[in-house]
Amino acid sequence: MRTQITMSPYYGTPDFSRLMREDVPPPAVDPVSIADILRNAFVYPPYSIYEGVRLVTFGFCPHDDMHTEPKFHFKFRNAGEVPEYAATEQDWVAGYHRRLCDAIQRSCAGMSAPWLLQSGGKDSTTLAIAIADARPDTTCITYLGGQEEDEVESATHVARTLGLRHETLTCDPARAYDRYLDVVHRMPLLTADFALLSCIDLGTEVAGHGGDGVVDGLGADSYFGTPMSKRQEMLKRLSRDLPLPGWLSELPGVDRSFKLCYMLSTLRMNEIERAFPGSRFTDDEADELLGRPMSQHSRHRLELYREEIGSATSLWEWRDMSTSIAGSAGAFAKGLYSSAALGLKVAYPFCDLTLREWIHREVPRYQKVDPVTKLNKLLIRDHIATRFGELPYVTGKGSFRFDVRGLARARFDRVRELARNSEELPGAGAWLDRNRRRFDNKYHASKFYLLAVVLPWLASRRERRAQVQETDMRERAYA
């Protein structure tokens, strides 16, 4: 099978139908792509989990052949594109609100019962304000993912003030994982984004309450700009690409400390891969799991991006370019694959062409990022201020976190059973047995999460291939 799928929401709605047919055996799984996921939680674009299937994600041109010479070009460069000063001053907030409402109407046109994933951050709050005008039939839902955050009260206040219905879902890792196992055979492709199970949990809830689509606030970071924090700058400097063995994180004392494990993993990584979120397997661990050396092939895929990222004109732009790789193949992919599996539509209003081009090319820089305080999304903050005061989640916000430690406690035996029968990851069982007592450390539990996502997806493809072959044999026998 040799095919190419345009799957970036910036380019429109992807069509995964050819990969979801149950009467056709799935393509062969690419072992290098499995290494990608173990090392970074996603497959490096334009590759996919399948051999012969290429993806056109953000930064690639849909008219280019992703099988021959794909070229990566970041779409929202700062130098020469973002105006320092406006050609004519205008009411930027009013213009933004009008265009955001139009973007919502266009992206949600096919939905009769949309649900907004209201994380409680700036993007979902500004969306809620516009949705109250453009699609007041929308229901908001907030996910309480862990102890690090509790934005339910403020999110409820926002929704009710705007006259929108609001629901809450508290993370139950066992329930979320069981819901994933129920639909994994319908997932067209594979990513292991650390909010994937949250997304499946939410999507199942939405569908169960009669919703036919979700509205997601992803997409604005790339053209608004995301200044690097002091912590991010420090991690960039600590990323030394040192060949430290993975077993160092299993040493007594070290294995119980998330900070020590995270620091060791950072020293092992190159600076671009450290910009990707989450704790992942080291190269030697990934090779152990796969039973053969694949990590260097995975590392080589990063070369496609180095020239463009190396041309960044600022640390902010460098980080935006780097994180856009994980964003397209992880953050966006989780919603696209989940919605396809659950039969839901998904809308990304911030990816709307008219809105994003206006913000990128006409809105001046001083409406986006404060160069002194490094406060970002100033226009969005001003838009929120038209309806609300300085709310706490606007300045300090988490995300759709998932309880990875709770998942390890609740579903270790199920994942271990999947590992026992895995052909693609013959070393998974031994790794799980060796590290079982370490899963109260989020660093090790995050790796468990990766296996918990990958193993059942691979198993479902083996089962589908066997079922199709058995059906073909029966039909030939009766012919």
Side-chain angles (χ1 to χ4, degrees):
M1 183 178 186
R2 190 174 187 271
T3 190
Q4 180 167 307
I5 298 173
T6 301
M7 67 157 267
S8 172
Y10 289 108
Y11 300 145
T13 303
D15 179 8
F16 298 122
S17 58
R18 73 191 84 175
L19 299 178
M20 299 179 70
R21 292 181 56 185
E22 295 190 359
D23 60 334
V24 177
V29 172
D30 181 0
V32 181
S33 296
I34 299 177
D36 284 350
I37 294 178
L38 297 175
R39 297 180 61 254
N40 290 315
F42 62 87
V43 179
Y44 269 119
Y47 298 93
S48 78
I49 189 63
Y50 288 130
E51 292 181 355
V53 178
R54 298 289 186 268
L55 305 176
V56 183
T57 59
F58 176 70
F60 294 96
C61 177
H63 303 295
D64 290 346
D65 186 348
M66 298 295 106
H67 293 270
T68 54
E69 295 185 14
K71 294 180 176 60
F72 176 74
H73 175 68
F74 190 66
K75 297 293 183 181
F76 302 117
R77 297 299 301 263
N78 290 329
E81 293 185 4
V82 178
E84 292 291 339
Y85 303 96
T88 56
E89 279 298 331
Q90 55 184 282
D91 188 338
W92 297 108
V93 173
Y96 166 75
H97 180 79
R98 183 176 67 255
R99 288 173 176 84
L100 183 56
C101 287
D102 291 345
I104 290 167
Q105 289 177 333
R106 283 190 289 267
S107 61
C108 299
M111 298 180 186
S112 59
W115 284 57
L116 170 65
L117 303 182
Q118 190 191 9
S119 66
K122 296 181 291 296
D123 296 338
S124 66
T125 302
T126 192
L127 273 177
I129 293 171
I131 279 173
D133 286 347
R135 287 299 300 262
D137 58 330
T138 300
T139 300
C140 299
I141 184 166
T142 301
Y143 198 70
L144 181 57
Q147 298 177 350
E148 297 95 336
E149 62 195 43
D150 186 352
E151 291 135 346
V152 172
E153 183 178 351
S154 55
T156 303
H157 168 67
V158 167
R160 289 179 178 171
T161 301
L162 296 169
L164 298 170
R165 179 184 164 200
H166 182 267
E167 299 288 343
T168 300
L169 183 64
T170 301
C171 176
D172 178 337
R175 179 196 64 217
Y177 192 59
D178 292 345
R179 287 175 166 181
Y180 174 65
L181 295 180
D182 286 342
V183 301
V184 67
H185 63 286
R186 296 200 296 271
M187 295 275 288
L189 294 165
L190 179 62
T191 185
D193 182 274
F194 286 99
L196 172 68
L197 296 187
S198 303
C199 205
I200 291 286
D201 203 14
L202 282 161
T204 305
E205 198 76 9
V206 168
H209 284 79
D212 67 343
V214 294
V215 185
D216 196 317
L218 287 173
D221 287 356
S222 292
Y223 52 80
F224 265 102
T226 51
M228 288 182 71
S229 65
K230 293 295 183 183
R231 177 180 179 276
Q232 290 161 349
E233 290 182 16
M234 179 188 69
L235 289 175
K236 185 176 186 297
R237 289 194 295 270
L238 285 174
S239 304
R240 309 304 296 270
D241 211 2
L242 299 177
L244 301 175
W247 55 259
L248 289 176
S249 298
E250 298 177 9
L251 290 174
V254 177
D255 62 347
R256 298 293 178 178
S257 170
F258 174 78
K259 289 183 178 180
L260 283 175
C261 289
Y262 195 85
M263 184 187 71
L264 282 171
S265 69
T266 297
L267 291 171
R268 294 187 192 100
M269 292 183 184
N270 63 67
E271 57 187 14
I272 295 175
E273 290 187 335
R274 178 64 280 173
F276 305 153
S279 301
R280 292 100 61 187
F281 288 101
T282 62
D283 288 1
D284 54 326
E285 286 176 320
D287 291 342
E288 173 195 347
L289 292 167
L290 286 156
R292 48 181 166 163
M294 284 291 164
S295 293
Q296 289 305 312
H297 298 291
S298 171
R299 276 176 168 262
H300 181 70
R301 289 180 171 180
L302 182 58
E303 297 306 310
L304 175 61
Y305 299 89
R306 286 194 181 276
E307 182 178 356
E308 180 72 357
I309 293 175
S311 70
T313 57
S314 67
L315 281 178
W316 299 357
E317 192 173 57
W318 177 92
R319 184 172 184 275
D320 287 342
M321 288 185 184
S322 299
T323 56
S324 73
I325 307 170
S328 62
F332 278 119
K334 75 176 187 297
L336 294 171
Y337 302 166
S338 298
S339 60
L342 291 163
L344 295 170
K345 301 178 181 68
V346 60
Y348 297 93
F350 284 121
C351 294
D352 179 79
L353 177 62
T354 301
L355 174 68
R356 76 186 195 229
E357 287 298 306
W358 177 74
I359 293 174
H360 178 58
R361 299 186 181 279
E362 295 187 40
V363 175
R365 194 185 305 275
Y366 57 81
Q367 287 288 338
K368 299 175 186 175
V369 178
D370 187 315
V372 178
T373 64
K374 294 187 178 181
L375 204 63
N376 72 332
K377 299 183 179 177
L378 298 180
L379 180 56
I380 287 179
R381 294 173 188 271
D382 289 344
H383 181 239
I384 293 171
T386 63
R387 297 301 305 271
F388 302 98
E390 186 69 12
L391 299 175
Y393 57 84
V394 173
T395 54
K397 165 68 184 67
S399 61
F400 286 116
R401 288 189 175 94
F402 190 79
D403 183 3
V404 292
R405 288 172 289 193
L407 176 65
R409 287 193 297 269
R411 289 295 179 264
F412 177 87
D413 291 341
R414 183 71 182 94
V415 175
R416 182 62 181 85
E417 179 186 349
L418 288 162
R420 183 175 296 110
N421 300 313
S422 178
E423 299 172 2
E424 301 86 355
L425 293 172
W431 186 90
L432 286 166
D433 291 340
R434 189 173 73 245
N435 288 283
R436 181 172 189 171
R437 66 180 182 81
R438 299 185 173 97
F439 294 146
D440 56 342
N441 180 345
K442 189 166 62 174
Y443 173 79
H444 297 287
S446 296
K447 298 178 184 181
F448 175 88
Y449 174 97
L450 295 177
L451 288 178
V453 169
V454 171
L455 285 168
W457 191 95
L458 294 173
S460 72
R461 269 46 192 182
R462 289 196 305 275
E463 292 170 6
R464 192 170 99 192
R465 191 174 295 108
Q467 289 169 357
V468 172
Q469 290 172 349
E470 184 178 349
T471 300
D472 288 345
M473 289 176 62
R474 281 206 204 98
E475 290 177 351
R476 284 196 295 269
Y478 285 118

